[in-house]
């Protein structure tokens, strides 16, 4: 879904999986900011908190749906694009 929005993104097999340190180091060399967008559920919140504590990543949750694909289904691609870009910009300003 992020590819459809022209936003670079990666996804782990599951939110409970650990981000390998080698991958983290590689990503940190390539990008100036890493923002976590896990689901706004117990597992997503716990995993987001863990990544913030370990690496200092910024994060946001989607308010109107479980995840980006659901937001696109509910509100459409352009609406989702605006919402996600607004969330990313807010994270970058913090």
């Amino acid at each position: 879904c992020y590819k459809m929005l022209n936003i670079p993104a990666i996804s782990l097999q599951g939110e409970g999986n650990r981000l390998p340190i080698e991958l983290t180091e590689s990503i940190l060399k390539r990008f100036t900011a890493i923002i976590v967008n896990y689901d706004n559920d117990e597992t997503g919140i716990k995993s987001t908190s863990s990544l913030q504590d370990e690496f200092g990543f910024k994060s946001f949750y989607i308010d109107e749906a479980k995840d980006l694909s659901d937001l696109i289904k509910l509100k459409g691609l352009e609406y989702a694009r605006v919402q996600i870009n607004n969330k990313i910009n807010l994270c970058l300003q913090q």
Side-chain angles (χ1 to χ4, degrees), residues 40-68:
N40 192 6
D41 60 17
E42 185 177 346
T43 303
I45 292 168
K46 183 178 177 182
S47 296
T48 297
S49 179
S50 175
L51 289 170
Q52 287 174 315
D53 291 346
E54 188 171 356
F55 301 108
F57 296 159
K58 298 172 189 264
S59 69
F60 70 86
Y61 300 103
I62 295 172
D63 303 317
E64 301 171 74
K66 178 183 165 210
D67 57 28
L68 180 55

Side-chain angles (χ1 to χ4, degrees), residues 66-79:
K66 178 183 165 210
D67 57 28
L68 180 55
S69 65
D70 286 349
L71 182 63
I72 291 169
K73 287 178 201 172
L74 288 170
K75 302 284 188 165
L77 184 62
E78 289 310 311
Y79 179 89

Side-chain angles (χ1 to χ4, degrees), residues 73-90:
K73 287 178 201 172
L74 288 170
K75 302 284 188 165
L77 184 62
E78 289 310 311
Y79 179 89
R81 182 186 318 278
V82 170
Q83 296 304 310
I84 296 302
N85 281 323
N86 287 342
K87 296 274 190 180
I88 290 171
N89 287 332
L90 284 173

Side-chain angles (χ1 to χ4, degrees), residues 5-38:
L5 301 178
N6 293 319
I7 297 171
I10 63 167
S11 176
L12 301 176
Q13 290 292 335
E15 294 173 343
N17 292 350
R18 301 253 325 130
L19 188 61
I21 192 69
E22 302 84 19
L23 177 59
T24 305
E25 290 171 352
S26 172
I27 293 168
L28 287 169
K29 289 177 185 174
R30 294 177 51 210
F31 298 96
T32 57
I34 297 174
I35 302 171
V36 178
N37 173 222
Y38 281 152

